[in-house]
């Protein structure tokens, strides 16, 4: 299995690294980081760097492509080089996937038309504007497309993908190997569970940009 994870300036690091840690743990699976250009990109905090070892034109066919989220992917919504690359890769991929707001990029490329999908809860309804059916959930599989919700959901999605391509026992072994046994100190990981004042606080500081839709080249 050949896997390409798209990286870019302003990426949310765990969106890429969580699935990477799962997928690279399967023997013989090869994960590569691909960017609009080769070289270092900085995560959304600016404090962490990741390296794109390959540029888009160097990667023409993979089994799995994964698009992470992060506010840095908003320019990609109108970056025809990236969107065209995703469409070409999707033609031959076994799986086309995203984490968090990476689904917006898939939608901007026209790859979610008529499909059920999820995203970060703050952006979920925006998927409708990109032709998708926003159904929410930790991850959603529709055909060969799997979209995951915010950040940590990418690990769940990657484990599901391993179980689909290998077998459940392999996915369980990977889960045990990385000791993925979530027991968060608070039960506030979704707007349905978090106290209303906490939801309002997050909405006030992380509300989607009002002009985001204008960045979509559709």
């Amino acid at each position: 299995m050949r896997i390409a994870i798209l990286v870019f300036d302003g990426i949310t690091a765990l969106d890429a690294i969580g699935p990477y840690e799962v997928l690279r743990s399967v023997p013989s699976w090869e994960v590569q980081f691909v960017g609009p250009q080769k070289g270092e990109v900085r995560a959304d905090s600016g404090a962490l760097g990741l390296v794109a070892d390959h540029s888009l034109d160097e990667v023409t066919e993979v089994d799995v492509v994964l698009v992470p989220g992060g506010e840095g992917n908003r320019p990609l919504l109108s970056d025809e080089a990236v969107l065209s690359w995703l469409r070409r890769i999707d033609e031959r991929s076994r799986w086309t996937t995203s984490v968090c707001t990476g689904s917006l990029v898939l939608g901007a490329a026209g790859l979610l038309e008529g499909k059920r999908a999820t995203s970060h809860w703050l952006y979920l309804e925006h998927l409708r504007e990109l032709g998708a059916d926003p159904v929410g959930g930790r991850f959603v599989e529709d055909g060969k497309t799997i979209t995951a919700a915010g950040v940590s959901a990418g690990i769940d999605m990657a484990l599901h993908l391993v179980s689909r391509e290998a077998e459940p026992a392999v996915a369980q072994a990977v889960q045990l190997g990385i000791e993925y046994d979530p027991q968060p100190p608070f039960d506030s990981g979704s707007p349905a569970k978090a106290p209303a004042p906490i939801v309002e606080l997050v909405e006030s500081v992380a509300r989607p940009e009002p002009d985001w839709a204008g960045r979509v080249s559709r």
Side-chain angles (χ1 to χ4, degrees), residues 5-13 15-16 33-52 67-77 79 82 101 105 209 215:
I5 298 177
L6 183 68
V7 294
F8 46 85
D9 282 318
I11 190 174
T12 296
D15 286 3
F33 290 91
V34 184
Q37 296 86 33
K38 277 186 179 181
E40 183 182 272
V41 299
R42 305 301 294 182
D44 45 14
S45 69
L48 176 68
L50 299 173
V51 175
V67 182
E71 65 180 39
N73 74 10
R74 308 303 184 269
L76 305 186
L77 300 176
D79 188 329
V82 171
T101 56
V105 182
E209 307 91 323
R215 306 182 192 186

Side-chain angles (χ1 to χ4, degrees), residues 164-212:
R164 296 283 275 115
E165 275 297 322
E167 58 180 69
V170 174
Q172 291 175 65
V174 171
Q175 180 176 355
L176 178 58
I178 64 174
E179 202 170 351
Y180 179 53
D181 185 23
Q183 299 178 48
F186 305 104
D187 191 19
S188 59
S190 79
K193 297 177 179 180
I198 300 300
V199 175
E200 293 169 4
L201 173 63
V202 173
E203 287 178 330
S204 70
V205 299
R207 193 180 307 278
E209 307 91 323
D211 66 336
W212 82 272

Side-chain angles (χ1 to χ4, degrees), residues 4-8 32-41 51-62 65 81-82 85-86 88-89:
I5 298 177
L6 183 68
V7 294
F8 46 85
Q32 53 192 342
F33 290 91
V34 184
Q37 296 86 33
K38 277 186 179 181
E40 183 182 272
V41 299
V51 175
D53 294 314
H54 305 275
S55 60
L56 300 180
D57 57 0
E58 292 178 330
V59 178
T60 58
E61 185 176 350
V62 293
V65 62
V82 171
W85 177 78
L86 283 171
R88 290 194 303 271
I89 290 294

Side-chain angles (χ1 to χ4, degrees), residues 5 13-23 151-152 154-156 158 178:
I5 298 177
L14 189 59
D15 286 3
I17 298 304
Y20 160 78
E21 194 60 39
V22 171
L23 300 173
V151 193
S152 65
I155 298 175
D156 296 358
I178 64 174

Side-chain angles (χ1 to χ4, degrees), residues 121-159:
W121 60 276
L122 281 170
Y123 287 83
L124 185 61
E125 277 303 309
H126 290 306
L127 288 174
R128 200 178 304 280
E129 301 166 47
L130 298 170
D133 176 15
V135 298
R138 288 290 282 176
F139 59 85
V140 176
E141 178 181 334
D142 190 331
K144 70 170 189 176
T145 303
I146 312 178
T147 53
V151 193
S152 65
I155 298 175
D156 296 358
M157 183 271 290
L159 287 167

Side-chain angles (χ1 to χ4, degrees), residues 66-111:
L66 186 147
V67 182
E71 65 180 39
N73 74 10
R74 308 303 184 269
L76 305 186
L77 300 176
S78 58
D79 188 329
E80 190 54 37
V82 171
L83 301 181
S84 295
W85 177 78
L86 283 171
R87 288 189 285 265
R88 290 194 303 271
I89 290 294
D90 178 71
E91 289 176 359
R92 297 186 179 184
S93 69
R94 293 175 63 86
W95 299 98
T96 296
T97 71
S98 66
V99 180
C100 197
T101 56
S103 56
L104 299 181
V105 182
L106 293 185
L111 300 178

